[in-house]
Amino acid sequence: MNWPAHLPDNCPPQDAQDATGEVYRLVNHNSPHPDDFRSWREENISKDLPQGVTECQAGGLSVYRDKADVCRVINRIPRFKKAQPALGVLTPALGKILCTPSRSSQSHHTWWLPMGTQPWTIFQIVSID
């Protein structure tokens, strides 16, 4: 797979697995949009990394396996208050994924997408109430 230039060497890490299964992504549009699938690093080119986050993680996308964790993130983190959960089903052609738990979510994963993928096409807004 060809990886984006913003990813550092040896990223995705060797212990990342083929992307498979259902994941939730918090999006800001009424229908998943390309802008909803930009990594933290792509959105914050010159910023220092948040504490505890590696450059490799910053270059991937945050997704969640558990909808209860998605609810907690929306309720606890102010910048996600207006975000909507979108559900997608990953396949190995969509890159690599690794469990990277956080304080607010044990089901948090980092997902690295190869060049040329269009992840917004496989996600749909869902209700998680």
Side-chain angles (χ1 to χ4, degrees), residues 34-62:
D35 288 343
D36 293 317
F37 293 86
R38 294 182 43 177
S39 70
W40 186 91
R41 178 48 72 208
E42 289 173 298
E43 292 177 346
N44 301 279
I45 293 169
S46 60
K47 283 190 177 181
D48 291 336
L49 292 171
Q51 185 175 357
V53 175
T54 67
E55 192 64 50
C56 185
Q57 286 174 317
L61 299 180
S62 289

Side-chain angles (χ1 to χ4, degrees), residues 12 20 26 30 32 36-37 53 61 67 75 78 90 92 111-112 123:
T20 59
L26 293 171
N30 289 331
D36 293 317
F37 293 86
V53 175
L61 299 180
K67 67 178 165 181
N75 291 325
L90 306 184
W111 172 31
W112 295 274
F123 279 78

Side-chain angles (χ1 to χ4, degrees), residues 4-5 20 28 31-32 34 38 62-63 72 74 78 80 88-90 107:
T20 59
N28 295 314
S31 180
R38 294 182 43 177
S62 289
V63 293
R72 275 191 289 281
I74 290 170
F80 292 123
V89 179
L90 306 184
S107 76

Side-chain angles (χ1 to χ4, degrees), residues 62-81:
S62 289
V63 293
Y64 305 87
R65 295 279 191 192
D66 182 0
K67 67 178 165 181
D69 276 351
V70 174
C71 287
R72 275 191 289 281
V73 168
I74 290 170
N75 291 325
R76 289 185 182 170
I77 301 174
R79 67 185 165 117
F80 292 123
K81 289 282 187 209

